[in-house]
Amino acid sequence: MNAITDWLGGLSGRLVYAVVGALVFVVDALFFGFVLPGETAVVLGGVLANQGQVSVYWLALTVVLAAIAGDTVGYSVGRHFDPKILTTRPLRRHE
């Protein structure tokens, strides 16, 4: 965990916002919550905001907008592919 914190802390302010926002977006939109640490990135961004490296207000705005955009994209992907996914053999009984 220290390696991730050190790496994220070594980035400039704008890159911290971009990395945290991208992780939140990908976790929400593409269902990679088991692999990518979206919430952990937000917590680490909060630690950096507490240390004065980034603004907590801009970080919160970035996280909220990334979460809304990610949920919207995730919903759209699910709505588009839902009928096709549910007709696959492993999920047919859950239809």
Side-chain angles (χ1 to χ4, degrees):
M1 186 65 102
N2 286 338
I4 296 172
T5 307
D6 293 339
W7 176 75
L8 198 58
L11 298 177
S12 69
R14 290 184 182 187
L15 280 177
V16 170
Y17 299 132
V19 168
V20 171
L23 285 173
V24 170
F25 176 81
V26 169
V27 166
D28 288 344
L30 304 177
F31 317 112
F32 288 136
F34 298 111
V35 181
L36 294 174
E39 291 83 8
T40 305
V42 173
V43 171
L44 292 176
V47 170
L48 293 175
N50 185 41
Q51 294 174 351
Q53 294 183 12
V54 293
S55 168
V56 69
Y57 301 111
W58 287 111
L59 182 68
L61 180 65
T62 302
V63 168
V64 168
L65 292 177
I68 291 170
D71 284 344
T72 303
V73 169
Y75 174 79
S76 298
V77 168
R79 186 168 183 212
H80 179 72
F81 289 110
D82 183 42
K84 296 172 189 168
I85 290 173
L86 287 178
T87 57
T88 61
R89 190 169 188 220
L91 297 177
R92 203 171 293 150
R93 63 182 170 153
H94 295 291
E95 188 174 6

